Amino acid sequence: QITVAVIDDGVEEHPDLEDSSGNSRLLPGNTPANGGDGSPVLMSDAHGTACAGIIAASHNNMHVRGIAPNVELISVNIFQGSETISDIANAFNYARTNGADVISNSWGYTSCTLSLSAINSAINNARNNGRGGLGCVIVFAAGNGYKSCVDYPGDLSNVLAVGAVTSLGTHSNYSNTGPALDIVAPSNSAPGQSGPGVRTIDRVGSAGYSSGSSTSGFGGTSAACPLVAGTAALLLSYDSDLTEDEVRTILENNATDMGASGFDNTFGHGRVSAYDALLALNP
């Protein structure tokens, strides 16, 4: 059973995050700042739940369909408030020690030069020692700052930094670019561009983005990141013995090339392709 940790503002129980028998696929979580269980705090805290839906929403209902609909999820809430650097580092430690295979991070500091040793160490530890030494696959949003550099910690060499393209295959103008960008995935467009937002789950009821249980307007590199995290989980669902480096290489080598031939600073290695990545494992 493959498990994806969503480090965000909390993931809530949702009908689309249940298995075919109605059992929740959301495992016990954590809120490092206060020892809580990883649940959302404010009524408006819906970002993590939306990311979780892109990764793992079931396919046997009418709401949305996730990339890897049978995986389990761990919610780690780093937006409780007043988090320290140690709390952020402990989010990765919790994910690693509680069996996360993939760690999805649709957040970052709005800086391309910041480097925090405690966070770097926790990410390195998860990448090198998670999954019994095979390594956790750590995925980050590149950031939405219209910048030619990737926000920290997405700019670290041992994570996958994900940028955004529109549904029409053009660069989403807000999506950060640069040599640290690894791959891109579909998301919404920037103002003035064409292309809809991403449909995913929302918190049930009045909390979240709308009064329903889904939303059609999610976007940013926040939506692109879980698409890649979910694809990594799919690969591990097929072959759980893959190392972190092997997963990364398969995703990058089988991405759909965009822009200039080969790697470029706008699209990285190209647009993620779950089909081609899986085909590479079973030609």
Side-chain angles (χ1 to χ4, degrees), residues 142 148-151 154-157 159-162 177-183 263 265 268:
S148 57
C149 58
V150 170
D151 285 341
D155 60 351
L156 296 175
S157 62
V159 307
L160 273 167
V162 185
T177 62
L181 181 69
D182 294 299
I183 200 165
F263 178 89
N265 287 348

Side-chain angles (χ1 to χ4, degrees), residues 9-10 19 25 54 56 85 87-88 103 109 147 170 174 179 185 193 201 216 233 260 270 274:
D9 65 2
D19 63 21
R25 291 183 282 114
I54 292 173
I85 292 171
D87 290 330
I88 305 301
I103 305 177
Y109 294 88
K147 296 184 292 189
T170 58
Y174 57 77
Q193 291 184 289
I201 66 174
S216 60

